[in-house]
Amino acid sequence: MLKRYLLLLFFSFFCLSTQAQQPKKPNSSDIFESIKKLNFLGSVLYIAAHPDDENTRLISYMSNNVKARTAYLSLTRGDGGQNLIGPELRELLGVIRTQELLAARRIDGGEQRFTRANDFGYSKHPDETLAIWNKKEVLSDVVLAIRQFKPDVIINRFDHRSPGSTHGHHTSSAMLSYEAFDLANDKNAFPEQVKQYGTWQPKREFFNTSWWFYGSQENFDKADKTNLLSVDTGVFFPSNGLSNPEIAALSRSSHKSQGFGSTGSRGEQIEYIELIKGDLPADKSNIFDGIDTSWNRVKGGKEIGNILKEVETNYDFKNPSASIPQLLEAYKLIQNLEDQHWKAIKLEDIKNVIAACAGLYLEAVAETNQATANSSINLKIESINRSDYQITLNSYAINTLDVVKNIELKNNISYDFKDVLKIDSKQQPTTPYWLTKKGSLGMYTVDDKNLIGQPETPRNQLVTFNLTFGKTSISYSKPIVYKTNDDVKGEVYKPFEIIPEASAKVAEDVIIFENDKQKDIVVIVKAGRDNLEGFVQIAHPKDWNVYPEKQKVSITHKGEDQTLIFTVIPPKNQSEGLITPMVTVGNEVYTKKLVEINYDHIPFQTVLLPSESKVVRLDIKKRGENIGYIEGAGDVVPESLKQIGYNVVVIKPEEINAETLNRFDAIVVGIRAYNVVETLKYKQQLLFNFVEQGGNLIVQYNTSRETIVDELAPYKLELSRDRVTDENAEVRFLNPNHPLLNYPNKITEKDFEGWTQERGLYFPDQWSSEFTPLLSMNDKGETPKDGSLLVAKHGKGYYIYTGLSFFREFPEGVSGAYRLFANMLSIGKDNINTDKKLND
């Protein structure tokens, strides 16, 4: 069952910082809002393609004002996006964006679901998207979400009727939702699901439209609005002093890796939804019109509704525990409901309300945040009742071990126990379930069908507290956690996770050999337990050699690393392959690396991935030596250039001056630097002067909106949204004799083989005659795009602008990308066909 956050509708927003992992402690107003929500039996499912596609204003409004059970179904985890806060891309970025979505839902009160679709990058048409995704499987996941969640209302973020007008993933999400609306009620559609969850028919489906989809406000004002409902989501919540748009902005700002920080607003905020399936509500101000959202919708629910309505009416803000007797009465009646769907939801909700009314605090803290299978970990267990209501702790269970207590929890007396968690020898490591097995370009592989749709791997290291409230027994299961006190941050929580007893990684994911000389590589072995003894070998391609064949590992303490040095000898000719460190401990061989993701705005994440590093023997030449790098939105280009022998220095924007720049043969500007680095607005002319005096300036892609500089280049240059998403698209040479394509490396069509995710993005579409376009490419059925690589002579040096996705190709070890970039850095350096070296 999905983890629910229904109690967390109106909570203190300190959880946006490092406190995001702390247990929530509802106040009296929070409890009251949760009681009101107990009395609403209606559901809304919002559907779109990616993290950050969701309309947080509408989700928050439905959850916090309407009191509907509200969820967001994101078809992907956003793996194909860019990362503005760190170096993680692809799978690791998907883990971050998953947690950012969960953080957003904790703020706006929604729940979160996914499909198995993998965000493979930008797609221009749903035909391409659905071919790569495997339409049948993703459609089955959307149908599954509907059958499990049982929404009365579905709202699509995008329009299913406009293929090719926006991101292919966007339109595909709407098309699949539109089709699933009817299939969910068809017993012949995905019948294996029907056996477990039955069928379900939502009442109505909407498209969350706006003037933007009509092209202009004027067009929207003229449009037929017969099937449109308008919702004022700008409501104010006195209980916490925030407007709905302010809550939505806080939720939206959880998407930090995408740079979607949002400022809250106040006042009227109209959202429009267009009916696309089902019946139009007679009352267009009520999305649930004609749907019974009271307890009367379930057999035996009338009496429950009457009790809970009385609880709501008579709620004592100064003494929430006064509501417990009637809440317990309702709890017992809910246990007898025939409707299993609402029974499960409302039992969980009312249990949490009862605990909150009692000020009940239950927690199990481990002595460490990581442990291995077949180990024992000390626990500190806390239970406290902060009310006068009689509560008895009968026992607590640690996994299958039941510890009898029979202790009455007296008001505001903390009862603390010490115990031991014994972890099963067959316990699997904790890691995102969708990454445990290799998937395809468009789909994740999930063998356990019960996990499909869940936002994260369920925690199975639990302590269950068996309590009696008066004469009513209720159990609460709490995941074991780890916490410490930080001198700056205060109380810091981490999840408790199971890791392998050994893991290993090569220090670098890609190792480039610019010639046939051997290199020493660093292998780091991490111990998951004390007194780890074993040895390490390196699996490698046949035409490569590694020395020594094996090395001993001996690590005394858990959590410590041992660094080993292996020598890798490349072949004489160009070649590439994968190397994997293999750690043998007893009869077990470990071949995975342990990746830790640690950001303040999301819980600490532990990810196990195959420990593979790519080795590439390049046929590459280069000129120039000293490279200055101005960082933008985050990439690994500096590290990649160091791999091929350049001396790379990262320059802080505020340190840019003529003296600093003149130390370098070339300056490289990181991706989206002119979108995110405000200081560059005042440094651009210094960079142009550097070029004029003989330096090379390479500017990588920026988005066409919100550039902070007035002039991107010393000559006219205008960006567009042009991009080539097919990584295998034909590349045509417009000026094959240009030095940049010939010196010091001869660039051919072969250098564009093996590119990943895309060719490039945000190409310029207008430029002055001083620029020479070098490459032409386009996606199928589109006009040629000639702006991917532009070079202009400026004074004694060269200005180069490129939208080619080097930031994606370098981490994948794409040979041709390195060779082409080396030419870009080398132009004008020791080349008799261009200029002499700057210092001549």
Side-chain angles (χ1 to χ4, degrees):
M1 183 178 294
L2 283 173
K3 185 178 181 181
R4 295 183 174 84
Y5 301 102
L6 300 182
L7 274 178
L8 312 177
L9 309 180
F10 298 92
F11 56 91
S12 299
F13 288 96
F14 63 77
C15 71
L16 289 176
S17 64
T18 57
Q19 311 304 317
Q21 300 159 47
Q22 287 193 358
K24 306 306 178 291
K25 302 161 186 174
N27 60 39
S28 188
S29 293
D30 300 337
I31 297 168
F32 180 63
E33 298 299 333
S34 298
I35 290 171
K36 288 162 65 176
K37 195 156 191 172
L38 282 174
N39 279 315
F40 194 94
L41 279 71
S43 301
V44 177
L45 182 62
Y46 199 92
I47 299 179
H50 309 110
D52 71 49
D53 282 345
E54 81 274 29
N55 185 335
T56 55
R57 291 184 301 274
L58 207 48
I59 290 175
S60 178
Y61 177 84
M62 290 298 166
S63 178
N64 297 329
N65 190 68
V66 178
K67 303 302 181 188
R69 181 174 175 242
T70 308
Y72 174 42
L73 173 61
S74 176
L75 267 59
T76 76
R77 297 177 184 269
D79 309 64
Q82 283 110 48
N83 185 359
L84 298 186
I85 61 172
E88 298 88 357
L89 291 175
R90 294 301 306 150
E91 293 90 348
L92 295 178
L93 177 58
V95 173
I96 292 172
R97 298 189 72 185
T98 293
Q99 291 300 321
E100 289 178 338
L101 270 179
L102 289 171
R105 298 296 79 79
R106 286 192 286 271
I107 294 169
D108 59 37
E111 300 176 29
Q112 186 60 52
R113 293 190 62 91
F114 294 95
T115 75
R116 288 170 290 170
N118 189 346
D119 178 2
F120 56 84
Y122 191 86
S123 174
K124 293 181 177 178
H125 200 280
D127 288 350
E128 176 195 35
T129 298
L130 296 174
I132 294 175
W133 271 355
N134 186 330
K135 177 187 175 183
K136 182 179 178 181
E137 289 189 3
V138 182
L139 178 61
S140 76
D141 290 357
V142 178
V143 170
L144 176 65
I146 295 172
R147 286 171 172 169
Q148 289 178 331
F149 191 74
K150 301 191 185 320
D152 300 300
V153 176
I154 293 175
I155 303 175
N156 297 333
R157 185 68 186 99
F158 300 104
D159 190 355
H160 66 286
R161 299 160 295 193
S162 55
S165 63
T166 183
H167 197 320
H169 297 182
H170 292 169
T171 310
S172 295
S173 71
M175 293 169 63
L176 292 170
S177 173
Y178 189 80
E179 189 173 352
F181 182 89
D182 296 315
L183 286 179
N185 198 38
D186 181 354
K187 65 180 181 181
N188 296 314
F190 311 110
E192 68 283 356
Q193 297 176 6
V194 177
K195 295 175 185 177
Q196 189 170 359
Y197 302 106
T199 59
W200 181 253
Q201 182 58 66
K203 185 74 170 178
R204 49 186 69 112
E205 183 170 25
F206 296 93
F207 158 46
N208 185 191
T209 190
S210 69
W211 67 263
W212 188 87
F213 289 95
Y214 288 78
S216 69
Q217 184 67 50
E218 183 180 4
N219 290 343
F220 180 69
D221 292 340
K222 295 176 182 177
D224 179 10
K225 297 183 177 59
T226 303
N227 287 335
L228 258 63
L229 277 67
S230 62
V231 181
D232 181 6
T233 63
V235 295
F236 174 66
F237 300 116
S239 58
N240 68 353
L242 292 172
S243 70
N244 187 69
E246 286 175 312
I247 294 174
L250 290 166
S251 173
R252 182 76 170 166
S253 297
S254 295
H255 298 298
K256 298 185 187 302
S257 66
Q258 300 302 292
F260 281 131
S262 180
T263 299
S265 62
R266 289 143 296 280
E268 183 180 74
Q269 182 81 57
I270 303 298
E271 290 289 337
Y272 294 93
I273 52 176
E274 176 191 357
L275 184 76
I276 55 176
K277 273 195 176 181
D279 62 316
L280 188 68
D283 178 3
K284 294 178 70 174
S285 66
N286 179 11
I287 195 174
F288 283 98
D289 183 54
I291 302 171
D292 190 351
T293 58
S294 73
W295 277 98
N296 292 328
R297 82 178 291 172
V298 297
K299 183 180 178 181
K302 183 176 181 180
E303 186 179 356
I304 299 169
N306 290 338
I307 294 171
L308 292 177
K309 197 64 183 176
E310 190 173 337
V311 171
E312 182 181 332
T313 302
N314 299 322
Y315 180 72
D316 185 348
F317 282 84
K318 293 184 178 180
N319 182 23
S321 63
S323 298
I324 293 177
Q326 286 182 296
L327 288 168
L328 290 171
E329 188 179 351
Y331 173 81
K332 287 183 283 189
L333 292 173
I334 294 172
Q335 286 182 307
N336 297 324
L337 288 178
E338 294 179 12
D339 187 314
Q340 296 300 308
H341 175 70
W342 284 111
K343 174 182 176 180
I345 293 167
K346 294 302 182 182
L347 273 179
E348 189 70 16
D349 293 347
I350 199 169
K351 277 174 52 177
N352 291 331
V353 173
I354 291 168
C357 285
L360 186 65
Y361 189 85
L362 306 169
E363 187 173 70
V365 178
E367 63 182 338
T368 177
N369 71 308
Q370 294 175 335
T372 58
N374 200 33
S375 64
S376 296
I377 301 298
N378 293 325
L379 298 179
K380 291 181 180 179
I381 297 171
E382 178 184 356
S383 56
I384 184 170
N385 167 26
R386 289 169 288 187
S387 74
D388 287 326
Y389 198 84
Q390 184 182 10
I391 303 175
T392 300
L393 174 61
N394 302 317
S395 65
Y396 59 77
I398 305 175
N399 290 339
T400 58
L401 176 65
D402 198 51
V403 181
V404 177
K405 288 298 178 183
N406 290 326
I407 296 173
E408 182 179 346
L409 302 179
K410 296 180 180 179
N411 187 357
N412 210 32
I413 302 297
S414 181
Y415 294 85
D416 302 321
F417 313 101
K418 293 183 178 180
D419 221 310
V420 176
L421 167 68
K422 296 181 179 179
I423 302 171
D424 189 273
S425 61
K426 296 181 180 179
Q427 178 62 53
Q428 293 300 305
T430 309
T431 193
Y433 70 85
W434 62 94
L435 298 179
T436 57
K437 204 167 183 180
K438 189 174 178 63
S440 64
L441 173 64
M443 295 295 295
Y444 284 117
T445 299
V446 180
D447 289 337
D448 185 347
K449 304 306 179 186
N450 292 319
L451 292 175
I452 293 174
Q454 295 205 39
E456 56 185 342
T457 306
R459 298 285 165 177
N460 56 12
Q461 301 301 315
L462 309 170
V463 172
T464 299
F465 296 82
N466 301 308
L467 305 171
T468 301
F469 290 76
K471 296 181 180 180
T472 304
S473 297
I474 303 179
S475 295
Y476 295 90
S477 291
K478 299 290 182 179
I480 295 171
V481 296
Y482 171 73
K483 68 178 180 181
T484 56
N485 184 75
D486 183 273
D487 290 342
V488 176
K489 299 176 181 178
E491 190 176 48
V492 176
Y493 277 76
K494 287 184 179 180
F496 175 71
E497 301 184 315
I498 309 301
I499 62 172
E501 62 177 350
S503 58
K505 65 177 181 179
V506 178
E508 296 167 325
D509 292 333
V510 176
I511 305 167
I512 305 296
F513 292 77
E514 56 179 312
N515 51 44
D516 61 358
K517 293 182 179 179
Q518 66 187 37
K519 282 189 177 183
D520 288 341
I521 65 166
V522 174
V523 174
I524 303 169
V525 181
K526 182 173 183 177
R529 64 169 174 82
D530 291 339
N531 301 315
L532 184 76
E533 299 283 342
F535 62 88
V536 179
Q537 295 173 288
I538 305 291
H540 56 84
K542 290 183 178 179
D543 54 343
W544 295 67
N545 289 293
V546 176
Y547 179 83
E549 182 179 338
K550 66 171 68 173
Q551 293 193 55
K552 183 180 179 182
V553 171
S554 180
I555 304 175
T556 304
H557 300 295
K558 179 180 77 172
E560 291 184 345
D561 296 333
Q562 182 175 341
T563 298
L564 304 173
I565 305 297
F566 286 86
T567 300
V568 177
I569 305 169
K572 293 292 184 183
N573 300 314
Q574 187 158 315
S575 174
E576 61 183 54
L578 297 175
I579 60 173
T580 296
M582 303 183 300
V583 186
T584 300
V585 179
N587 296 323
E588 296 292 330
V589 178
Y590 298 94
T591 60
K592 292 195 172 183
K593 62 182 177 181
L594 190 71
V595 181
E596 296 177 341
I597 300 174
N598 191 11
Y599 292 102
D600 283 350
H601 68 297
I602 59 174
F604 184 90
Q605 298 293 298
T606 299
V607 185
L608 278 174
L609 294 174
S611 186
E612 296 176 337
S613 289
K614 188 173 184 179
V615 287
V616 181
R617 161 69 169 94
L618 276 181
D619 178 13
I620 189 171
K621 302 179 182 67
K622 60 183 179 15
R623 297 293 183 269
E625 181 178 352
N626 298 314
I627 309 299
Y629 198 87
I630 302 170
E631 293 181 321
D635 56 52
V636 294
V637 172
E639 295 85 348
S640 301
L641 296 179
K642 290 178 183 178
Q643 288 263 12
I644 55 175
Y646 283 107
N647 176 31
V648 183
V649 177
V650 174
I651 306 173
K652 294 180 180 179
E654 60 272 19
E655 295 176 354
I656 296 174
N657 56 54
E659 181 181 355
T660 299
L661 295 178
N662 286 335
R663 300 171 187 167
F664 300 101
D665 299 300
I667 300 294
V668 181
V669 180
I671 62 172
R672 295 180 65 176
Y674 291 138
N675 299 130
V676 299
V677 184
E678 188 70 26
T679 307
L680 290 180
K681 182 177 183 178
Y682 312 105
K683 302 291 185 177
Q684 191 72 328
Q685 189 56 51
L686 288 171
L687 294 173
F688 294 162
N689 293 343
F690 165 75
V691 177
E692 195 169 18
Q693 294 169 17
N696 290 348
L697 177 63
I698 299 172
V699 178
Q700 298 179 87
Y701 101 92
N702 291 270
T703 62
S704 55
R705 292 187 300 170
E706 300 178 351
T707 55
I708 53 93
V709 294
D710 296 327
E711 300 293 340
L712 279 172
Y715 309 113
K716 178 185 176 183
L717 182 69
E718 295 186 13
L719 302 181
S720 73
R721 296 180 64 84
D722 289 347
R723 63 199 302 162
V724 177
T725 61
D726 181 359
E727 63 267 39
N728 298 310
E730 178 190 6
V731 177
R732 301 173 294 275
F733 291 9
L734 296 174
N735 289 274
N737 295 322
H738 193 281
L740 196 149
L741 297 176
N742 292 275
Y743 180 85
N745 304 289
K746 176 69 174 178
I747 303 300
T748 69
E749 290 84 354
K750 187 175 178 60
D751 288 298
F752 293 94
E753 294 177 1
W755 283 51
T756 182
Q757 189 161 325
E758 61 195 351
R759 288 295 191 198
L761 62 170
Y762 290 99
F763 297 159
D765 63 349
Q766 296 183 49
W767 52 84
S768 68
S769 59
E770 285 84 358
F771 282 102
T772 300
L774 298 183
L775 305 173
S776 179
M777 59 192 72
N778 56 270
D779 285 322
K780 184 178 180 181
E782 294 192 355
T783 59
K785 305 296 184 288
D786 297 345
S788 65
L789 181 56
L790 302 171
V791 58
K793 188 76 186 303
H794 181 56
K796 298 179 181 179
Y798 290 86
Y799 175 97
I800 299 171
Y801 189 92
T802 180
L804 294 172
S805 59
F806 290 101
F807 73 101
R808 294 199 189 280
E809 312 316 316
F810 284 172
E812 298 297 324
V814 177
S815 304
Y818 280 91
R819 285 164 45 83
L820 178 57
F821 209 94
N823 279 17
M824 292 158 59
L825 293 169
S826 301
I827 189 170
K829 313 298 181 187
D830 285 336
N831 184 352
I832 59 173
N833 293 319
T834 56
D835 289 9
K836 291 185 177 182
K837 191 172 181 180
L838 175 63
N839 294 327
D840 282 357

